[in-house]
Amino acid sequence: ILKTIAESSHPNLVDFLGYFVHPTLKVLCLTFELCDGNLEELVKANPAGAFVEKELERLFRQMAFAFKALHHYGIIHRDIKPENVLITNDGHIKVTDFGLARVISDTPVSDSTGAVLLGTMAYLSPEQVQQLAVDQRSDVYSCGILLYEMVTGMVPFTGNSPLEVAYQH
């Protein structure tokens, strides 16, 4: 997946610069372009409805282009959330964090790992919550949650526990 992303050149995907093995820790370290902020910071700085419609459209359009490109390359992101949508100093969107991304295949990948549910509960699609097979539609659902949050200042489903949020999805 990282090889595909590294070889892709899309203005709304974070640029992969390289990798190295940390000499002391013996772990693989990836380097990406530096961005100044993320969508989470921008949403917190703008109370509900404070986004100018044109700015909201511009940001969301860039996010949609990023996910369309990932799907074109055969990748499902599976962890769309405000923290994974970076913003450059000139205001451009860069999608990042491909740790849960999977290749789209004829047999969609299932998240079934026993009792472990991967991702951020507030943004997971119903099929992810149910640990069913996922495809591009899961990313579209999560983008819809992001748009809802950008418009209202909050996610559509909340609860006292992750399980309560899961049932609402």
Side-chain angles (χ1 to χ4, degrees), residues 77-109:
H77 191 280
R78 298 186 335 146
D79 195 22
I80 298 169
K81 58 187 175 183
E83 301 95 299
N84 290 342
V85 179
L86 303 180
I87 302 175
T88 64
N89 60 359
D90 59 353
H92 285 89
I93 294 292
K94 297 280 190 162
V95 171
T96 190
D97 192 352
F98 305 101
L100 296 181
R102 293 293 176 262
V103 173
I104 301 168
S105 65
D106 292 335
T107 308
V109 176

PDB file of all heavy atoms in Angstrom, residues 77-109:
ATOM      1  N   HIS A  77      -9.140   3.604   2.592  1.00  0.00           N
ATOM      2  CA  HIS A  77      -8.421   4.232   3.712  1.00  0.00           C
ATOM      3  C   HIS A  77      -8.808   3.614   5.055  1.00  0.00           C
ATOM      4  O   HIS A  77      -7.953   3.278   5.856  1.00  0.00           O
ATOM      5  CB  HIS A  77      -8.698   5.743   3.731  1.00  0.00           C
ATOM      6  CG  HIS A  77      -7.824   6.498   4.667  1.00  0.00           C
ATOM      7  ND1 HIS A  77      -8.075   6.552   6.019  1.00  0.00           N
ATOM      8  CD2 HIS A  77      -6.708   7.226   4.442  1.00  0.00           C
ATOM      9  CE1 HIS A  77      -7.147   7.302   6.598  1.00  0.00           C
ATOM     10  NE2 HIS A  77      -6.303   7.719   5.654  1.00  0.00           N
ATOM     11  N   ARG A  78     -10.074   3.498   5.352  1.00  0.00           N
ATOM     12  CA  ARG A  78     -10.653   2.862   6.541  1.00  0.00           C
ATOM     13  C   ARG A  78     -10.416   3.579   7.860  1.00  0.00           C
ATOM     14  O   ARG A  78     -10.799   3.076   8.913  1.00  0.00           O
ATOM     15  CB  ARG A  78     -10.183   1.406   6.679  1.00  0.00           C
ATOM     16  CG  ARG A  78     -10.590   0.546   5.533  1.00  0.00           C
ATOM     17  CD  ARG A  78     -10.270  -0.923   5.709  1.00  0.00           C
ATOM     18  NE  ARG A  78      -9.195  -1.218   6.608  1.00  0.00           N
ATOM     19  CZ  ARG A  78      -9.139  -2.293   7.388  1.00  0.00           C
ATOM     20  NH1 ARG A  78     -10.114  -3.164   7.357  1.00  0.00           N
ATOM     21  NH2 ARG A  78      -8.121  -2.503   8.176  1.00  0.00           N
ATOM     22  N   ASP A  79      -9.783   4.753   7.851  1.00  0.00           N
ATOM     23  CA  ASP A  79      -9.572   5.482   9.108  1.00  0.00           C
ATOM     24  C   ASP A  79      -9.694   6.986   8.867  1.00  0.00           C
ATOM     25  O   ASP A  79      -8.849   7.770   9.287  1.00  0.00           O
ATOM     26  CB  ASP A  79      -8.213   5.137   9.709  1.00  0.00           C
ATOM     27  CG  ASP A  79      -8.079   5.566  11.167  1.00  0.00           C
ATOM     28  OD1 ASP A  79      -9.119   5.743  11.840  1.00  0.00           O
ATOM     29  OD2 ASP A  79      -6.936   5.748  11.629  1.00  0.00           O
ATOM     30  N   ILE A  80     -10.766   7.362   8.192  1.00  0.00           N
ATOM     31  CA  ILE A  80     -10.983   8.772   7.879  1.00  0.00           C
ATOM     32  C   ILE A  80     -11.494   9.469   9.130  1.00  0.00           C
ATOM     33  O   ILE A  80     -12.487   9.059   9.729  1.00  0.00           O
ATOM     34  CB  ILE A  80     -11.994   8.907   6.727  1.00  0.00           C
ATOM     35  CG1 ILE A  80     -11.422   8.243   5.473  1.00  0.00           C
ATOM     36  CG2 ILE A  80     -12.338  10.371   6.478  1.00  0.00           C
ATOM     37  CD1 ILE A  80     -12.409   8.087   4.352  1.00  0.00           C
ATOM     38  N   LYS A  81     -10.782  10.517   9.524  1.00  0.00           N
ATOM     39  CA  LYS A  81     -11.148  11.345  10.668  1.00  0.00           C
ATOM     40  C   LYS A  81     -10.406  12.674  10.536  1.00  0.00           C
ATOM     41  O   LYS A  81      -9.451  12.769   9.756  1.00  0.00           O
ATOM     42  CB  LYS A  81     -10.813  10.638  11.981  1.00  0.00           C
ATOM     43  CG  LYS A  81      -9.352  10.264  12.140  1.00  0.00           C
ATOM     44  CD  LYS A  81      -9.140   9.424  13.378  1.00  0.00           C
ATOM     45  CE  LYS A  81      -7.680   8.950  13.481  1.00  0.00           C
ATOM     46  NZ  LYS A  81      -7.514   8.080  14.644  1.00  0.00           N
ATOM     47  N   PRO A  82     -10.813  13.705  11.271  1.00  0.00           N
ATOM     48  CA  PRO A  82     -10.212  15.027  11.101  1.00  0.00           C
ATOM     49  C   PRO A  82      -8.695  15.063  11.313  1.00  0.00           C
ATOM     50  O   PRO A  82      -7.999  15.804  10.630  1.00  0.00           O
ATOM     51  CB  PRO A  82     -10.922  15.884  12.148  1.00  0.00           C
ATOM     52  CG  PRO A  82     -12.200  15.187  12.420  1.00  0.00           C
ATOM     53  CD  PRO A  82     -11.922  13.723  12.227  1.00  0.00           C
ATOM     54  N   GLU A  83      -8.196  14.249  12.218  1.00  0.00           N
ATOM     55  CA  GLU A  83      -6.758  14.240  12.483  1.00  0.00           C
ATOM     56  C   GLU A  83      -5.952  13.715  11.298  1.00  0.00           C
ATOM     57  O   GLU A  83      -4.761  13.982  11.188  1.00  0.00           O
ATOM     58  CB  GLU A  83      -6.427  13.376  13.710  1.00  0.00           C
ATOM     59  CG  GLU A  83      -7.103  13.828  14.982  1.00  0.00           C
ATOM     60  CD  GLU A  83      -8.408  13.087  15.242  1.00  0.00           C
ATOM     61  OE1 GLU A  83      -9.341  13.183  14.398  1.00  0.00           O
ATOM     62  OE2 GLU A  83      -8.519  12.421  16.271  1.00  0.00           O
ATOM     63  N   ASN A  84      -6.586  12.944  10.421  1.00  0.00           N
ATOM     64  CA  ASN A  84      -5.892  12.366   9.268  1.00  0.00           C
ATOM     65  C   ASN A  84      -6.061  13.202   8.002  1.00  0.00           C
ATOM     66  O   ASN A  84      -5.681  12.769   6.918  1.00  0.00           O
ATOM     67  CB  ASN A  84      -6.377  10.936   9.013  1.00  0.00           C
ATOM     68  CG  ASN A  84      -5.906  10.000  10.102  1.00  0.00           C
ATOM     69  OD1 ASN A  84      -4.988  10.300  10.850  1.00  0.00           O
ATOM     70  ND2 ASN A  84      -6.549   8.858  10.210  1.00  0.00           N
ATOM     71  N   VAL A  85      -6.640  14.375   8.148  1.00  0.00           N
ATOM     72  CA  VAL A  85      -6.767  15.311   7.034  1.00  0.00           C
ATOM     73  C   VAL A  85      -5.908  16.525   7.384  1.00  0.00           C
ATOM     74  O   VAL A  85      -6.305  17.373   8.189  1.00  0.00           O
ATOM     75  CB  VAL A  85      -8.241  15.711   6.799  1.00  0.00           C
ATOM     76  CG1 VAL A  85      -8.349  16.705   5.658  1.00  0.00           C
ATOM     77  CG2 VAL A  85      -9.084  14.473   6.511  1.00  0.00           C
ATOM     78  N   LEU A  86      -4.710  16.565   6.827  1.00  0.00           N
ATOM     79  CA  LEU A  86      -3.768  17.641   7.121  1.00  0.00           C
ATOM     80  C   LEU A  86      -4.066  18.853   6.246  1.00  0.00           C
ATOM     81  O   LEU A  86      -4.664  18.743   5.181  1.00  0.00           O
ATOM     82  CB  LEU A  86      -2.338  17.164   6.877  1.00  0.00           C
ATOM     83  CG  LEU A  86      -1.907  15.918   7.658  1.00  0.00           C
ATOM     84  CD1 LEU A  86      -0.471  15.568   7.323  1.00  0.00           C
ATOM     85  CD2 LEU A  86      -2.077  16.120   9.155  1.00  0.00           C
ATOM     86  N   ILE A  87      -3.616  20.015   6.724  1.00  0.00           N
ATOM     87  CA  ILE A  87      -3.795  21.257   5.970  1.00  0.00           C
ATOM     88  C   ILE A  87      -2.441  21.955   5.865  1.00  0.00           C
ATOM     89  O   ILE A  87      -1.769  22.173   6.882  1.00  0.00           O
ATOM     90  CB  ILE A  87      -4.831  22.170   6.648  1.00  0.00           C
ATOM     91  CG1 ILE A  87      -6.164  21.421   6.777  1.00  0.00           C
ATOM     92  CG2 ILE A  87      -4.987  23.468   5.874  1.00  0.00           C
ATOM     93  CD1 ILE A  87      -7.228  22.161   7.522  1.00  0.00           C
ATOM     94  N   THR A  88      -2.041  22.262   4.642  1.00  0.00           N
ATOM     95  CA  THR A  88      -0.760  22.942   4.427  1.00  0.00           C
ATOM     96  C   THR A  88      -0.900  24.421   4.784  1.00  0.00           C
ATOM     97  O   THR A  88      -2.004  24.930   4.964  1.00  0.00           O
ATOM     98  CB  THR A  88      -0.313  22.815   2.953  1.00  0.00           C
ATOM     99  OG1 THR A  88      -1.275  23.496   2.127  1.00  0.00           O
ATOM    100  CG2 THR A  88      -0.199  21.359   2.531  1.00  0.00           C
ATOM    101  N   ASN A  89       0.247  25.116   4.849  1.00  0.00           N
ATOM    102  CA  ASN A  89       0.197  26.528   5.227  1.00  0.00           C
ATOM    103  C   ASN A  89      -0.532  27.391   4.195  1.00  0.00           C
ATOM    104  O   ASN A  89      -0.986  28.474   4.513  1.00  0.00           O
ATOM    105  CB  ASN A  89       1.598  27.076   5.495  1.00  0.00           C
ATOM    106  CG  ASN A  89       2.510  26.975   4.291  1.00  0.00           C
ATOM    107  OD1 ASN A  89       2.121  26.481   3.234  1.00  0.00           O
ATOM    108  ND2 ASN A  89       3.735  27.437   4.439  1.00  0.00           N
ATOM    109  N   ASP A  90      -0.661  26.898   2.958  1.00  0.00           N
ATOM    110  CA  ASP A  90      -1.424  27.646   1.954  1.00  0.00           C
ATOM    111  C   ASP A  90      -2.866  27.133   1.812  1.00  0.00           C
ATOM    112  O   ASP A  90      -3.567  27.464   0.859  1.00  0.00           O
ATOM    113  CB  ASP A  90      -0.706  27.669   0.606  1.00  0.00           C
ATOM    114  CG  ASP A  90      -0.451  26.286   0.025  1.00  0.00           C
ATOM    115  OD1 ASP A  90      -0.718  25.275   0.729  1.00  0.00           O
ATOM    116  OD2 ASP A  90       0.003  26.198  -1.119  1.00  0.00           O
ATOM    117  N   GLY A  91      -3.311  26.314   2.783  1.00  0.00           N
ATOM    118  CA  GLY A  91      -4.708  25.922   2.851  1.00  0.00           C
ATOM    119  C   GLY A  91      -5.128  24.728   2.024  1.00  0.00           C
ATOM    120  O   GLY A  91      -6.317  24.511   1.818  1.00  0.00           O
ATOM    121  N   HIS A  92      -4.195  23.924   1.576  1.00  0.00           N
ATOM    122  CA  HIS A  92      -4.540  22.738   0.792  1.00  0.00           C
ATOM    123  C   HIS A  92      -4.665  21.514   1.692  1.00  0.00           C
ATOM    124  O   HIS A  92      -3.927  21.352   2.659  1.00  0.00           O
ATOM    125  CB  HIS A  92      -3.497  22.483  -0.297  1.00  0.00           C
ATOM    126  CG  HIS A  92      -3.617  23.446  -1.433  1.00  0.00           C
ATOM    127  ND1 HIS A  92      -2.958  24.647  -1.442  1.00  0.00           N
ATOM    128  CD2 HIS A  92      -4.343  23.389  -2.563  1.00  0.00           C
ATOM    129  CE1 HIS A  92      -3.266  25.295  -2.543  1.00  0.00           C
ATOM    130  NE2 HIS A  92      -4.108  24.562  -3.244  1.00  0.00           N
ATOM    131  N   ILE A  93      -5.595  20.648   1.339  1.00  0.00           N
ATOM    132  CA  ILE A  93      -5.850  19.400   2.065  1.00  0.00           C
ATOM    133  C   ILE A  93      -4.862  18.333   1.619  1.00  0.00           C
ATOM    134  O   ILE A  93      -4.599  18.177   0.430  1.00  0.00           O
ATOM    135  CB  ILE A  93      -7.289  18.907   1.786  1.00  0.00           C
ATOM    136  CG1 ILE A  93      -8.313  19.871   2.370  1.00  0.00           C
ATOM    137  CG2 ILE A  93      -7.511  17.475   2.268  1.00  0.00           C
ATOM    138  CD1 ILE A  93      -8.353  19.933   3.875  1.00  0.00           C
ATOM    139  N   LYS A  94      -4.345  17.573   2.599  1.00  0.00           N
ATOM    140  CA  LYS A  94      -3.473  16.426   2.337  1.00  0.00           C
ATOM    141  C   LYS A  94      -3.918  15.284   3.243  1.00  0.00           C
ATOM    142  O   LYS A  94      -3.824  15.381   4.464  1.00  0.00           O
ATOM    143  CB  LYS A  94      -2.005  16.768   2.655  1.00  0.00           C
ATOM    144  CG  LYS A  94      -1.411  17.872   1.805  1.00  0.00           C
ATOM    145  CD  LYS A  94      -1.004  17.317   0.476  1.00  0.00           C
ATOM    146  CE  LYS A  94      -0.190  18.334  -0.309  1.00  0.00           C
ATOM    147  NZ  LYS A  94       0.568  17.726  -1.372  1.00  0.00           N
ATOM    148  N   VAL A  95      -4.433  14.222   2.668  1.00  0.00           N
ATOM    149  CA  VAL A  95      -4.862  13.062   3.453  1.00  0.00           C
ATOM    150  C   VAL A  95      -3.638  12.230   3.818  1.00  0.00           C
ATOM    151  O   VAL A  95      -2.723  12.043   3.010  1.00  0.00           O
ATOM    152  CB  VAL A  95      -5.887  12.225   2.662  1.00  0.00           C
ATOM    153  CG1 VAL A  95      -6.175  10.904   3.361  1.00  0.00           C
ATOM    154  CG2 VAL A  95      -7.168  13.025   2.471  1.00  0.00           C
ATOM    155  N   THR A  96      -3.618  11.731   5.048  1.00  0.00           N
ATOM    156  CA  THR A  96      -2.485  10.955   5.545  1.00  0.00           C
ATOM    157  C   THR A  96      -2.971   9.782   6.391  1.00  0.00           C
ATOM    158  O   THR A  96      -4.159   9.539   6.502  1.00  0.00           O
ATOM    159  CB  THR A  96      -1.537  11.858   6.370  1.00  0.00           C
ATOM    160  OG1 THR A  96      -0.331  11.149   6.645  1.00  0.00           O
ATOM    161  CG2 THR A  96      -2.174  12.302   7.666  1.00  0.00           C
ATOM    162  N   ASP A  97      -2.053   9.089   6.994  1.00  0.00           N
ATOM    163  CA  ASP A  97      -2.248   7.955   7.906  1.00  0.00           C
ATOM    164  C   ASP A  97      -2.918   6.775   7.216  1.00  0.00           C
ATOM    165  O   ASP A  97      -4.133   6.615   7.227  1.00  0.00           O
ATOM    166  CB  ASP A  97      -3.042   8.337   9.147  1.00  0.00           C
ATOM    167  CG  ASP A  97      -2.980   7.240  10.213  1.00  0.00           C
ATOM    168  OD1 ASP A  97      -2.460   6.137   9.919  1.00  0.00           O
ATOM    169  OD2 ASP A  97      -3.443   7.479  11.338  1.00  0.00           O
ATOM    170  N   PHE A  98      -2.080   5.949   6.638  1.00  0.00           N
ATOM    171  CA  PHE A  98      -2.566   4.795   5.885  1.00  0.00           C
ATOM    172  C   PHE A  98      -2.338   3.485   6.647  1.00  0.00           C
ATOM    173  O   PHE A  98      -2.270   2.429   6.046  1.00  0.00           O
ATOM    174  CB  PHE A  98      -1.881   4.771   4.517  1.00  0.00           C
ATOM    175  CG  PHE A  98      -2.070   6.072   3.774  1.00  0.00           C
ATOM    176  CD1 PHE A  98      -1.054   7.011   3.728  1.00  0.00           C
ATOM    177  CD2 PHE A  98      -3.278   6.366   3.164  1.00  0.00           C
ATOM    178  CE1 PHE A  98      -1.233   8.222   3.071  1.00  0.00           C
ATOM    179  CE2 PHE A  98      -3.477   7.571   2.507  1.00  0.00           C
ATOM    180  CZ  PHE A  98      -2.447   8.500   2.462  1.00  0.00           C
ATOM    181  N   GLY A  99      -2.274   3.591   7.977  1.00  0.00           N
ATOM    182  CA  GLY A  99      -2.011   2.417   8.807  1.00  0.00           C
ATOM    183  C   GLY A  99      -3.097   1.350   8.753  1.00  0.00           C
ATOM    184  O   GLY A  99      -2.821   0.175   8.919  1.00  0.00           O
ATOM    185  N   LEU A 100      -4.341   1.747   8.526  1.00  0.00           N
ATOM    186  CA  LEU A 100      -5.440   0.783   8.435  1.00  0.00           C
ATOM    187  C   LEU A 100      -5.900   0.566   7.001  1.00  0.00           C
ATOM    188  O   LEU A 100      -6.841  -0.195   6.756  1.00  0.00           O
ATOM    189  CB  LEU A 100      -6.633   1.238   9.287  1.00  0.00           C
ATOM    190  CG  LEU A 100      -6.401   1.314  10.791  1.00  0.00           C
ATOM    191  CD1 LEU A 100      -7.667   1.756  11.500  1.00  0.00           C
ATOM    192  CD2 LEU A 100      -5.912  -0.013  11.342  1.00  0.00           C
ATOM    193  N   ALA A 101      -5.250   1.239   6.061  1.00  0.00           N
ATOM    194  CA  ALA A 101      -5.644   1.129   4.653  1.00  0.00           C
ATOM    195  C   ALA A 101      -5.458  -0.299   4.160  1.00  0.00           C
ATOM    196  O   ALA A 101      -4.576  -1.022   4.616  1.00  0.00           O
ATOM    197  CB  ALA A 101      -4.815   2.093   3.805  1.00  0.00           C
ATOM    198  N   ARG A 102      -6.313  -0.682   3.218  1.00  0.00           N
ATOM    199  CA  ARG A 102      -6.250  -2.016   2.629  1.00  0.00           C
ATOM    200  C   ARG A 102      -6.455  -1.910   1.127  1.00  0.00           C
ATOM    201  O   ARG A 102      -7.085  -0.982   0.629  1.00  0.00           O
ATOM    202  CB  ARG A 102      -7.336  -2.935   3.208  1.00  0.00           C
ATOM    203  CG  ARG A 102      -7.146  -3.257   4.669  1.00  0.00           C
ATOM    204  CD  ARG A 102      -5.912  -4.113   4.903  1.00  0.00           C
ATOM    205  NE  ARG A 102      -5.662  -4.346   6.296  1.00  0.00           N
ATOM    206  CZ  ARG A 102      -4.801  -3.668   7.048  1.00  0.00           C
ATOM    207  NH1 ARG A 102      -4.120  -2.679   6.544  1.00  0.00           N
ATOM    208  NH2 ARG A 102      -4.624  -3.972   8.306  1.00  0.00           N
ATOM    209  N   VAL A 103      -5.970  -2.905   0.429  1.00  0.00           N
ATOM    210  CA  VAL A 103      -6.152  -2.980  -1.010  1.00  0.00           C
ATOM    211  C   VAL A 103      -7.571  -3.451  -1.294  1.00  0.00           C
ATOM    212  O   VAL A 103      -8.080  -4.368  -0.642  1.00  0.00           O
ATOM    213  CB  VAL A 103      -5.126  -3.948  -1.642  1.00  0.00           C
ATOM    214  CG1 VAL A 103      -5.409  -4.170  -3.115  1.00  0.00           C
ATOM    215  CG2 VAL A 103      -3.719  -3.432  -1.430  1.00  0.00           C
ATOM    216  N   ILE A 104      -8.212  -2.799  -2.280  1.00  0.00           N
ATOM    217  CA  ILE A 104      -9.538  -3.224  -2.713  1.00  0.00           C
ATOM    218  C   ILE A 104      -9.356  -4.443  -3.608  1.00  0.00           C
ATOM    219  O   ILE A 104      -8.536  -4.441  -4.507  1.00  0.00           O
ATOM    220  CB  ILE A 104     -10.240  -2.110  -3.517  1.00  0.00           C
ATOM    221  CG1 ILE A 104     -10.371  -0.851  -2.678  1.00  0.00           C
ATOM    222  CG2 ILE A 104     -11.602  -2.589  -4.003  1.00  0.00           C
ATOM    223  CD1 ILE A 104     -10.786   0.373  -3.475  1.00  0.00           C
ATOM    224  N   SER A 105     -10.115  -5.483  -3.335  1.00  0.00           N
ATOM    225  CA  SER A 105     -10.029  -6.687  -4.163  1.00  0.00           C
ATOM    226  C   SER A 105     -11.439  -7.172  -4.480  1.00  0.00           C
ATOM    227  O   SER A 105     -12.420  -6.610  -4.010  1.00  0.00           O
ATOM    228  CB  SER A 105      -9.240  -7.777  -3.441  1.00  0.00           C
ATOM    229  OG  SER A 105      -9.937  -8.186  -2.282  1.00  0.00           O
ATOM    230  N   ASP A 106     -11.510  -8.225  -5.255  1.00  0.00           N
ATOM    231  CA  ASP A 106     -12.819  -8.795  -5.567  1.00  0.00           C
ATOM    232  C   ASP A 106     -13.505  -9.315  -4.314  1.00  0.00           C
ATOM    233  O   ASP A 106     -14.718  -9.332  -4.212  1.00  0.00           O
ATOM    234  CB  ASP A 106     -12.675  -9.938  -6.578  1.00  0.00           C
ATOM    235  CG  ASP A 106     -12.233  -9.432  -7.938  1.00  0.00           C
ATOM    236  OD1 ASP A 106     -12.491  -8.249  -8.246  1.00  0.00           O
ATOM    237  OD2 ASP A 106     -11.638 -10.213  -8.688  1.00  0.00           O
ATOM    238  N   THR A 107     -12.714  -9.769  -3.359  1.00  0.00           N
ATOM    239  CA  THR A 107     -13.234 -10.197  -2.071  1.00  0.00           C
ATOM    240  C   THR A 107     -12.826  -9.157  -1.053  1.00  0.00           C
ATOM    241  O   THR A 107     -11.682  -9.140  -0.613  1.00  0.00           O
ATOM    242  CB  THR A 107     -12.648 -11.571  -1.662  1.00  0.00           C
ATOM    243  OG1 THR A 107     -12.841 -12.477  -2.733  1.00  0.00           O
ATOM    244  CG2 THR A 107     -13.292 -12.076  -0.406  1.00  0.00           C
ATOM    245  N   PRO A 108     -13.733  -8.223  -0.686  1.00  0.00           N
ATOM    246  CA  PRO A 108     -13.368  -7.142   0.220  1.00  0.00           C
ATOM    247  C   PRO A 108     -12.812  -7.650   1.538  1.00  0.00           C
ATOM    248  O   PRO A 108     -13.189  -8.715   2.016  1.00  0.00           O
ATOM    249  CB  PRO A 108     -14.682  -6.389   0.435  1.00  0.00           C
ATOM    250  CG  PRO A 108     -15.507  -6.736  -0.750  1.00  0.00           C
ATOM    251  CD  PRO A 108     -15.116  -8.143  -1.122  1.00  0.00           C
ATOM    252  N   VAL A 109     -11.907  -6.862   2.108  1.00  0.00           N
ATOM    253  CA  VAL A 109     -11.244  -7.217   3.365  1.00  0.00           C
ATOM    254  C   VAL A 109     -12.216  -7.058   4.517  1.00  0.00           C
ATOM    255  O   VAL A 109     -12.941  -6.085   4.603  1.00  0.00           O
ATOM    256  CB  VAL A 109     -10.025  -6.295   3.594  1.00  0.00           C
ATOM    257  CG1 VAL A 109      -9.371  -6.576   4.919  1.00  0.00           C
ATOM    258  CG2 VAL A 109      -9.031  -6.454   2.460  1.00  0.00           C
TER     259      VAL A 109
END
